[in-house]
Amino acid sequence: MRIISFPGHGETDPEDVSSAELEAALDGDGIGPVAESWRELRTDVRALAPPMDPEFERRLAERIAERSAARRPRTVSPVVSPEAPPSRGSRRRDRWAGWLHRPARLGAAAAVAFALVAAVAIVAGTHQRGSSSVERPASSQSLGTSQGAVATAGSRNGAEAKAPPVAAGPAEPVTAEPPGVESPAPGRVQQLAATITLAASPSEVQATADRVARLTVGDGGFVQNSHVQVQTAGTSEANLTLRLPSAKLGAALNSLGQLAPVRAESQSLQDITNSYDAARQRLADADAERQALLRALSVASTQGQIDSLREQLSQARNAIAQAHSALQAVSQRASTAEVEVNIAGDGAGASEGLTLHRAVHDAGRVLVVTLSVLLIAAAILVPLALLFIALAGVRSAWRRHRRERALDMP
Amino acid sequence: MSAPVPSADDDRSPAIQRSSRGSLDEETFNALFHACAADVHGYAISLLGDRSAAEDVTALAFERLYRSRSRLDHGRGTSRAWLFAIARNAALDELRRRRRQPQSELREDLAGDHGSTEPLEQVERRATVRDALAALPMREREVVLLKFHGQLTNSELARALGIGESNAGTRLHRALTRLREECMRLDRREVA
């Protein structure tokens, strides 16, 4: 026989057990039998739980005290007395060890590092393409193959061996290789060309063009044509077409690059071996025909035959002269390289010669590159961070769901 | 003799009250431990029905609280509420890990230390409360235990449960109503 006096006993209105009433009762603010019954219920529920084992409480208190003394969340190293304060070095090592043991932080650091490296790589590539483009020709082997001129050195030399030397006539004998040809592929005849754009201040365009001309002559070449436009206000520019010995093309481009900052540079290569071989063959054929006519003339007996043969010899000499000229033209193409020099006097290159302006310019570029790196890194990191946040949210929701399910287990 | 049950005012020591406004420093953490360890243990053992598991959960809760003390967000509740939220998660993890059905009834030897000096009426009343609590569904019993052992406000209870405050109040109201009805039913049966 016991009466358990719960608040609202006998009443059906759920408002009897209001949250405010309960809160007031448990806080000790409520008075009266209802509040007292709530406090009594709380006391009864709490009293149902057995007290902590004193031994467990003591051990747990010791662990807490050790942690508090060490001020470290991780377990205390067994070789170090828990009472002794850790040294600065050990604290640093522990901090790093703890840091590294946290996969989330390590992953974030790796993502940041990856993003920065990727951004630097992207910016570096863009910077190289945008500011100063340098194009080099493909290898002569691949170029020759792509053009279908698969005349090997041996076969060409064979044709050369069968071609008799031009012993008579006005044409000069043609050497096997055109003079001065810088042929990266043995046995091939190639024509080189280059284009270079230099940046100069408007006032320096004329002087730079003059230096280009002098350098060209010094390298054994000549200026094929030139156009220099200097304006007191506005953009000045100069365009020069140079002919340089092919063997000196590389050195000449280097020398041109010393005159002013190079804004762009490209080189091209064309295989003209077929044209060269065809010209040689025509010359050999014409010479063979002339030799045959001379032999026929030596055995001619009638005046009519002699006159006819002399007429044919005259035509043969003309053919030899034409073939020789054609061969020389091809040789000339191979032995000289055409270089187009563009001097842009738009002011962009003016600062490159002045230290202060150049420093300001470089500083601006550094800032732009830095901002670009940060922007690209952010472009990589922001989606990664959003993905990470979404995954973390899903993981947290899933863990909460699994925990809550533990309460629904039968 | 039942263990003395501290009141909510006893648990809100000055250090812990300071923790509601400042960081959870070593002093506050120690004060929180001494004030709340028994409550956390009581909540865990009442929920899990196993002393060993309750001790594991209690130790784990304070371990996690220590590790996360720098992330303690006082804007989202007191350090006591934070501690009981951690303890609840640890207890539910323990429940799920062991795949063990929680004790449908508190075992007699875990149902408090009822000394012979207690009045018979009090002993019988607590036995009724114990049986009524054991008869509650797990979800409702957990709310009652969290409320009474944790001495949490409805707002803190909502934080610990991960639900809205009104929802927590409704759930608590429903659980207490069920507990009251169960006590009345048991009482009538005893009288009959």
Side-chain angles (χ1 to χ4, degrees), chain B residues 141-160:
Chain B
R141 189 197 314 168
E142 186 230 1
V143 175
V144 173
L145 294 176
L146 202 56
K147 176 71 177 180
F148 287 156
H149 282 286
Q151 303 189 77
L152 306 177
T153 65
N154 280 7
S155 173
E156 293 168 341
L157 185 67
R159 294 284 185 192

Side-chain angles (χ1 to χ4, degrees), chain A residues 95-129:
Chain A
R95 191 183 310 134
W96 278 107
W99 198 93
L100 290 174
H101 284 157
R102 296 179 181 178
R105 293 184 181 182
L106 201 58
V112 170
F114 169 75
L116 285 176
V117 169
V120 168
I122 291 172
V123 169
T126 307
H127 176 68
Q128 191 174 12
R129 284 196 304 273

Side-chain angles (χ1 to χ4, degrees), chain A residues 1-20 22-23 26-28 38 40-53 56-57 59-61 63-65 67-75 102 105 399-400 402-410, chain B residues 2-3 5-6 8-9 26 29-30 33 37-39 41-42 45-46 51 55 58-59 62-64 66-67 69 88-89 92-93 95-96 99-101 106 110-112 121 124-126 128-130 133 138-139 142 145 147-149 151 153-154 161-162 169 172-173 176 179-180 183-184 187 190:
Chain A
M1 83 78 239
R2 56 189 176 281
I3 302 299
I4 299 175
S5 57
F6 277 104
H9 177 70
E11 299 177 17
T12 55
D13 189 358
E15 294 298 324
D16 290 342
V17 193
S18 65
S19 295
L22 178 63
E23 296 281 344
L26 296 181
D27 286 346
W38 279 123
E40 190 177 65
L41 176 62
R42 182 182 63 184
T43 303
D44 288 342
V45 169
R46 288 169 61 94
L48 292 177
M52 263 196 300
D53 180 14
F56 167 71
E57 188 173 5
R59 282 188 284 111
L60 188 57
R63 282 180 59 187
I64 296 293
R67 291 294 175 87
S68 299
R71 299 181 68 87
R72 286 185 301 173
R74 297 289 173 187
T75 52
R102 296 179 181 178
R105 293 184 181 182
R399 288 180 62 184
R400 173 170 293 179
R402 291 204 307 175
R403 279 175 178 150
E404 295 295 330
R405 270 198 340 193
L407 293 172
D408 296 330
M409 286 193 301
Chain B
S2 63
V5 179
D9 291 336
E26 301 294 334
F29 181 82
N30 286 330
F33 168 74
D39 288 344
H41 180 268
I45 198 169
S46 298
R51 180 178 294 276
E55 291 178 351
T58 303
F62 281 100
E63 177 86 13
R64 289 181 181 173
Y66 190 88
R67 285 209 303 256
R69 67 192 190 281
R88 177 179 185 263
N89 286 339
L92 297 189
D93 285 342
L95 273 180
R96 187 172 54 83
R99 295 281 181 188
R100 179 196 299 173
Q101 177 184 351
L106 292 174
L110 295 181
E121 182 183 351
E124 290 179 341
R125 191 183 67 236
R126 287 183 179 172
T128 301
V129 171
R130 180 196 65 202
L133 198 59
M138 190 67 178
R139 202 172 278 280
E142 186 230 1
L145 294 176
K147 176 71 177 180
F148 287 156
H149 282 286
Q151 303 189 77
T153 65
N154 280 7
L161 294 174
L172 177 64
H173 172 263
L176 289 175
L179 179 63
R180 180 187 63 185
C183 284
M184 290 169 57
D187 196 29
E190 285 289 327

Side-chain angles (χ1 to χ4, degrees), chain A residues 306-326:
Chain A
I306 291 171
D307 292 342
S308 174
L309 288 170
R310 283 182 173 168
E311 180 64 24
Q312 291 181 42
L313 277 171
S314 175
Q315 293 175 357
R317 277 197 295 272
N318 290 337
I320 287 173
Q322 290 176 358
H324 190 266
S325 297

Side-chain angles (χ1 to χ4, degrees), chain A residues 218-249:
Chain A
D219 282 340
F222 61 92
V223 178
Q224 189 170 8
N225 62 61
S226 68
H227 170 77
V228 180
Q229 179 182 1
V230 178
Q231 294 179 334
T232 54
T235 301
S236 299
E237 62 177 358
N239 301 309
L240 298 94
T241 303
L242 314 178
R243 287 287 181 179
L244 287 164
S246 296
K248 295 185 176 180
L249 177 62

Side-chain angles (χ1 to χ4, degrees), chain A residues 175-397:
Chain A
T175 57
E177 288 293 339
V181 174
E182 184 184 39
S183 176
R188 307 299 301 180
V189 181
Q190 294 163 336
Q191 181 181 5
L192 305 178
T195 302
I196 187 169
T197 301
L198 305 176
S201 62
S203 59
E204 288 289 316
V205 168
Q206 181 64 63
T208 304
D210 293 343
R211 285 197 289 269
V212 168
R214 283 197 296 272
L215 190 146
T216 303
V217 174
D219 282 340
F222 61 92
V223 178
Q224 189 170 8
N225 62 61
S226 68
H227 170 77
V228 180
Q229 179 182 1
V230 178
Q231 294 179 334
T232 54
T235 301
S236 299
E237 62 177 358
N239 301 309
L240 298 94
T241 303
L242 314 178
R243 287 287 181 179
L244 287 164
S246 296
K248 295 185 176 180
L249 177 62
L253 289 175
N254 286 336
S255 301
L256 289 172
Q258 304 291 325
L259 298 179
V262 178
R263 184 171 293 175
E265 178 186 342
S266 67
Q267 294 184 42
S268 62
L269 180 151
Q270 184 180 5
D271 193 290
I272 55 173
T273 306
N274 287 349
S275 302
Y276 182 78
D277 286 345
R280 283 182 61 89
Q281 189 60 46
R282 282 197 297 274
L283 177 60
D285 291 344
D287 189 64
E289 183 180 356
R290 179 173 171 273
Q291 293 296 328
L293 289 173
L294 287 173
R295 284 194 296 273
L297 183 61
S298 63
V299 296
S301 56
T302 65
Q303 188 59 39
Q305 287 177 331
I306 291 171
D307 292 342
S308 174
L309 288 170
R310 283 182 173 168
E311 180 64 24
Q312 291 181 42
L313 277 171
S314 175
Q315 293 175 357
R317 277 197 295 272
N318 290 337
I320 287 173
Q322 290 176 358
H324 190 266
S325 297
L327 183 59
Q328 276 193 325
V330 175
S331 298
Q332 185 71 16
R333 287 172 58 193
S335 61
T336 60
E338 184 179 280
V339 179
E340 285 188 17
V341 180
N342 302 313
I343 304 171
D346 52 6
S351 63
E352 302 189 29
L354 302 174
T355 304
L356 183 58
H357 287 172
R358 189 169 186 168
V360 172
H361 182 258
D362 289 348
R365 292 183 69 85
V366 167
L367 285 176
V368 168
V369 170
T370 303
L371 288 176
S372 302
V373 167
L374 292 178
L375 188 62
I376 294 174
I380 296 172
L381 285 177
V382 167
L384 283 178
L386 292 177
L387 182 64
F388 176 78
I389 290 171
L391 288 177
V394 168
R395 179 171 174 267
S396 175

